[in-house]
Amino acid sequence: MMDFEKMHFTGPIWRPPYEASSVLLQVTVGCTHHKCKFCSLYPGIKFRVSPMSEIESDLKIIQYYQPRARRIFLTGSNPFALSFDKLKNLAMSIHDYLPRCQIGTFSRISDIKNKTVEQLKELRSYGFNGISIGTETGDDITLAEMNKGNTAQDTFEQCKKLEEAGIEYYIVYLTGLAGKGNGQRNALASAKLFSQLKPFIISVVSLTLFPESELYEDMVNGNYIVSPEHERLEELITFIGNLENKTTLLANTVSNPIPMNGYLPKDKNRFLAELRKIKENISETELNIYRQSIRSL
């Protein structure tokens, strides 16, 4: 028998909740950008690409235990940063071992930018579908302050390329990111941008700071004021209230004190009513205690 302990994983292993049933395969380690002020996922880890010898070794193990796997998720902060040729070759190698597999992965907006629509269509034909993008916000002020490395217009243009290529994608909204007093601006700008797109899923996460992040240091030094929990709820009410998408909305990570999920626009009124009820019935202190209890994402 083969030994799972021989699979290659380095540092924190991170995947979205909706990829819980996917097989995980490490193809990169760390992040190509590694400058987002709020991120604490890869402290001290430099970006590198896994050698094909490691990838094929792991694929053999996956093939042994799950020969009929239907979906594989590539780990590392943004494996879609790999060139078109490398991704194409990777997909071919994956299908040598798992012929039925579709391929999901994380991506930065900049990773899409260096690929043409025709290349994206070809990657779709090789099984790439369901790209998780750490958009976080559609507010240019917040994007710049958090060192995201792209603008709202970049997000619009690159997501439209995915749509043209027929690739499903999932985007993230991070409540509280803009800091105290800026939630409404962040929500309105983000809802305006996201409403122009066709994401398969919008995932809502709430900012949780850890000591490894630069933003945590800013908070300690008084250069950043964390958004209160009730203010985040108002921000989320504004964000959802102004969305015009037909999509799935998920707010079910550990960062969300009250898990929620549903479909827009069908469940919009239910979302808004639940959020108002939470704000009315759960105190700021109780929500803050929950936030402080989170040890990892």
Side-chain angles (χ1 to χ4, degrees), residues 15-16 38 85 89 100 117 135 138-139 143 184-185 195 201 217 222-223 231 236 238 242:
R15 56 104 181 119
F38 56 89
D85 287 333
N89 291 335
R100 295 189 178 97
V117 172
T135 45
D139 176 45
L143 285 166
Q184 292 300 303
R185 184 198 73 216
S195 293
I201 292 173
E217 293 182 15
N223 297 320
E231 188 174 308
L236 189 52
T238 298
N242 284 275

Short mmCIF file of all heavy atoms in Angstrom, two decimals, residues 15-16 38 85 89 100 117 135 138-139 143 184-185 195 201 217 222-223 231 236 238 242:
data_model
loop_
_atom_site.label_atom_id
_atom_site.label_comp_id
_atom_site.label_asym_id
_atom_site.label_seq_id
_atom_site.Cartn_x
_atom_site.Cartn_y
_atom_site.Cartn_z
N ARG A 15 -7.96 26.05 1.55
CA ARG A 15 -8.89 25.86 0.44
C ARG A 15 -10.25 26.42 0.85
O ARG A 15 -10.59 26.47 2.04
CB ARG A 15 -8.99 24.39 0.05
CG ARG A 15 -9.37 23.46 1.20
CD ARG A 15 -10.82 23.03 1.10
NE ARG A 15 -11.20 22.16 2.22
CZ ARG A 15 -12.14 22.48 3.09
NH1 ARG A 15 -12.76 23.64 3.03
NH2 ARG A 15 -12.47 21.65 4.07
N PRO A 16 -11.05 26.87 -0.10
CA PRO A 16 -12.36 27.44 0.24
C PRO A 16 -13.31 26.37 0.76
O PRO A 16 -13.15 25.18 0.45
CB PRO A 16 -12.86 27.99 -1.11
CG PRO A 16 -11.69 27.99 -2.03
CD PRO A 16 -10.78 26.91 -1.54
N PHE A 38 -3.37 42.58 5.09
CA PHE A 38 -4.21 41.84 6.02
C PHE A 38 -3.87 40.35 6.09
O PHE A 38 -4.37 39.64 6.95
CB PHE A 38 -5.69 41.98 5.62
CG PHE A 38 -5.95 41.54 4.21
CD1 PHE A 38 -6.27 40.23 3.92
CD2 PHE A 38 -5.88 42.46 3.17
CE1 PHE A 38 -6.49 39.83 2.62
CE2 PHE A 38 -6.11 42.06 1.86
CZ PHE A 38 -6.41 40.74 1.58
N ASP A 85 1.49 27.61 -20.72
CA ASP A 85 2.10 26.33 -21.11
C ASP A 85 2.25 25.40 -19.91
O ASP A 85 2.00 24.19 -20.01
CB ASP A 85 3.46 26.56 -21.78
CG ASP A 85 3.33 27.13 -23.18
OD1 ASP A 85 2.28 26.89 -23.83
OD2 ASP A 85 4.26 27.83 -23.63
N ASN A 89 0.36 21.82 -19.46
CA ASN A 89 1.11 20.58 -19.22
C ASN A 89 0.71 19.93 -17.91
O ASN A 89 0.64 18.70 -17.79
CB ASN A 89 2.62 20.86 -19.24
CG ASN A 89 3.13 21.21 -20.63
OD1 ASN A 89 2.53 20.84 -21.64
ND2 ASN A 89 4.23 21.95 -20.69
N ARG A 100 -11.06 11.86 -15.20
CA ARG A 100 -12.38 12.50 -15.07
C ARG A 100 -12.33 13.83 -14.34
O ARG A 100 -13.35 14.50 -14.19
CB ARG A 100 -13.33 11.57 -14.31
CG ARG A 100 -13.66 10.26 -15.04
CD ARG A 100 -14.78 9.56 -14.30
NE ARG A 100 -15.17 8.32 -14.96
CZ ARG A 100 -14.74 7.12 -14.61
NH1 ARG A 100 -13.89 7.01 -13.61
NH2 ARG A 100 -15.14 6.05 -15.25
N VAL A 117 -7.74 35.41 -23.88
CA VAL A 117 -9.02 34.71 -23.85
C VAL A 117 -8.91 33.35 -24.53
O VAL A 117 -9.45 32.35 -24.05
CB VAL A 117 -10.13 35.57 -24.50
CG1 VAL A 117 -11.42 34.76 -24.65
CG2 VAL A 117 -10.39 36.82 -23.68
N THR A 135 -10.65 38.63 -4.52
CA THR A 135 -10.95 40.02 -4.90
C THR A 135 -10.99 40.94 -3.68
O THR A 135 -10.53 42.07 -3.74
CB THR A 135 -12.28 40.08 -5.65
OG1 THR A 135 -13.26 39.28 -4.97
CG2 THR A 135 -12.13 39.57 -7.07
N GLY A 138 -14.18 45.95 -4.08
CA GLY A 138 -14.20 46.66 -5.35
C GLY A 138 -13.97 48.14 -5.16
O GLY A 138 -14.22 48.95 -6.06
N ASP A 139 -13.47 48.50 -3.99
CA ASP A 139 -13.22 49.90 -3.65
C ASP A 139 -11.75 50.22 -3.88
O ASP A 139 -10.87 49.66 -3.21
CB ASP A 139 -13.59 50.15 -2.19
CG ASP A 139 -13.28 51.56 -1.73
OD1 ASP A 139 -13.59 52.50 -2.48
OD2 ASP A 139 -12.72 51.72 -0.63
N LEU A 143 -8.38 48.90 -1.92
CA LEU A 143 -7.43 48.07 -2.67
C LEU A 143 -6.02 48.64 -2.57
O LEU A 143 -5.05 47.90 -2.36
CB LEU A 143 -7.85 47.98 -4.14
CG LEU A 143 -9.05 47.08 -4.45
CD1 LEU A 143 -9.56 47.35 -5.86
CD2 LEU A 143 -8.69 45.61 -4.28
N GLN A 184 -19.43 51.63 4.58
CA GLN A 184 -20.48 51.95 3.60
C GLN A 184 -19.87 52.27 2.23
O GLN A 184 -20.36 51.83 1.19
CB GLN A 184 -21.33 53.11 4.10
CG GLN A 184 -22.18 52.77 5.32
CD GLN A 184 -23.15 51.64 5.06
OE1 GLN A 184 -23.98 51.72 4.15
NE2 GLN A 184 -23.06 50.58 5.84
N ARG A 185 -18.78 53.02 2.25
CA ARG A 185 -18.09 53.31 0.98
C ARG A 185 -17.61 52.02 0.32
O ARG A 185 -17.79 51.80 -0.88
CB ARG A 185 -16.90 54.22 1.25
CG ARG A 185 -16.14 54.68 0.00
CD ARG A 185 -14.75 55.18 0.34
NE ARG A 185 -13.84 54.10 0.69
CZ ARG A 185 -12.89 54.18 1.63
NH1 ARG A 185 -12.74 55.29 2.32
NH2 ARG A 185 -12.11 53.13 1.88
N SER A 195 -21.81 43.64 -9.24
CA SER A 195 -23.07 43.55 -9.97
C SER A 195 -22.87 43.56 -11.49
O SER A 195 -23.76 43.16 -12.24
CB SER A 195 -24.01 44.69 -9.57
OG SER A 195 -24.43 44.54 -8.22
N ILE A 201 -20.11 32.09 -7.56
CA ILE A 201 -20.27 32.22 -6.11
C ILE A 201 -19.67 33.55 -5.67
O ILE A 201 -18.60 33.94 -6.15
CB ILE A 201 -19.56 31.07 -5.34
CG1 ILE A 201 -20.25 29.73 -5.58
CG2 ILE A 201 -19.49 31.35 -3.84
CD1 ILE A 201 -19.49 28.54 -4.98
N GLU A 217 -0.01 44.92 12.86
CA GLU A 217 0.96 45.88 13.38
C GLU A 217 0.44 47.31 13.26
O GLU A 217 0.62 48.13 14.17
CB GLU A 217 2.29 45.74 12.63
CG GLU A 217 3.01 44.42 12.87
CD GLU A 217 4.34 44.35 12.14
OE1 GLU A 217 4.83 45.41 11.70
OE2 GLU A 217 4.88 43.24 12.02
N GLY A 222 -1.75 52.04 16.10
CA GLY A 222 -2.76 53.09 15.98
C GLY A 222 -2.93 53.65 14.59
O GLY A 222 -3.58 54.70 14.41
N ASN A 223 -2.40 52.98 13.59
CA ASN A 223 -2.51 53.46 12.21
C ASN A 223 -3.68 52.84 11.46
O ASN A 223 -3.91 53.16 10.29
CB ASN A 223 -1.21 53.17 11.45
CG ASN A 223 -0.02 53.90 12.04
OD1 ASN A 223 -0.14 55.06 12.45
ND2 ASN A 223 1.11 53.23 12.13
N GLU A 231 -20.96 47.52 12.89
CA GLU A 231 -20.69 48.29 11.68
C GLU A 231 -20.48 47.36 10.48
O GLU A 231 -20.90 47.65 9.36
CB GLU A 231 -19.47 49.19 11.88
CG GLU A 231 -19.22 50.17 10.75
CD GLU A 231 -18.09 51.13 11.05
OE1 GLU A 231 -18.13 51.77 12.12
OE2 GLU A 231 -17.17 51.22 10.22
N LEU A 236 -22.47 44.81 5.49
CA LEU A 236 -22.94 43.66 4.74
C LEU A 236 -24.37 43.85 4.27
O LEU A 236 -24.73 43.43 3.15
CB LEU A 236 -22.81 42.40 5.60
CG LEU A 236 -23.06 41.06 4.92
CD1 LEU A 236 -22.21 40.91 3.66
CD2 LEU A 236 -22.78 39.91 5.88
N THR A 238 -25.70 46.69 3.44
CA THR A 238 -25.59 47.59 2.29
C THR A 238 -25.06 46.85 1.06
O THR A 238 -25.57 47.02 -0.06
CB THR A 238 -24.66 48.78 2.62
OG1 THR A 238 -25.23 49.52 3.70
CG2 THR A 238 -24.49 49.69 1.42
N ASN A 242 -27.44 46.05 -2.32
CA ASN A 242 -27.15 46.71 -3.60
C ASN A 242 -26.64 45.75 -4.68
O ASN A 242 -26.36 46.18 -5.79
CB ASN A 242 -26.13 47.82 -3.38
CG ASN A 242 -26.74 49.06 -2.75
OD1 ASN A 242 -27.30 49.92 -3.43
ND2 ASN A 242 -26.68 49.13 -1.43
#
